Amino acid sequence: FDDVGTGTLSTKKRNRSSVQTSKAPPAFSLRALKLALSCHETKFMIIATLWFICISIINLVPSINQEARETTVAMMASFQLVLYYCAPLSTICTVLSKRDSSSIHIPTMIANTVNASFWTAYGFAINDFSIIFPNGLGALFGVIQIVLCACIPRRNNTSFVKDVKIDVPSKCDDDDDDDNIVFPVKF
């Protein structure tokens, strides 16, 4: 910073004598907040901190009875699970817009669908809506992804196997090619 009070930055180009200046956003401006929230780690830390604060308040306030605590924690866990299972929505939109299902990670899709289906069945068995709702959404999104994988082909099958040759230096002065290692690599 050339001027810390105003936040003015300057950079000199190598072959030019001109100085370019730009103004950094103030620390508590809307632009600085958008910049801070654009980072995934920052978002995660904010959510984790809010989760920790809520759980602490629920458990440390003596006037909250046990049933209200259980209901609140169940609602918070259900909300978090809905966010988890809604994550594939961006992938579903990508598949539909590009007509290419290669962005769907098949092992994760199968694991999430099976997991959500079993938890939904368990929720019906004990008649607990806080288990049925988020896991039912997860099972639904998993089935949608399975249908998309079955109906829309994977076009990004450009991987191929190529032999890669690595020259290994040798202490011997012979000129034969025995010092090379060749192994297949999938690209």
Side-chain angles (χ1 to χ4, degrees), residues 35 68 81 84 89 96 125 138 140 144 148 155 164 180:
L35 185 65
L81 197 56
Y84 171 75
L89 285 177
L96 290 174
L140 175 68
I144 289 171
L148 287 176
R155 286 190 281 148
V164 175
N180 296 325

Side-chain angles (χ1 to χ4, degrees), residues 122-187:
Y122 175 71
F124 278 117
I126 65 169
N127 200 20
D128 188 351
F129 188 72
S130 65
I131 294 175
I132 295 170
F133 176 70
N135 290 293
L137 279 177
L140 175 68
F141 290 142
V143 169
I144 289 171
Q145 287 182 345
I146 290 170
V147 169
L148 287 176
C149 281
C151 295
I152 298 175
R154 299 174 77 82
R155 286 190 281 148
N156 195 5
N157 291 333
T158 59
S159 65
F160 58 93
V161 176
K162 180 179 179 182
D163 286 338
V164 175
K165 181 176 156 183
I166 297 178
D167 294 326
V168 178
S170 174
K171 294 181 181 179
C172 299
D173 289 334
D174 57 349
D175 290 333
D176 57 350
D177 288 333
D178 294 337
D179 297 333
N180 296 325
I181 298 173
V182 178
F183 57 94
V185 176
K186 185 176 181 181
F187 292 96

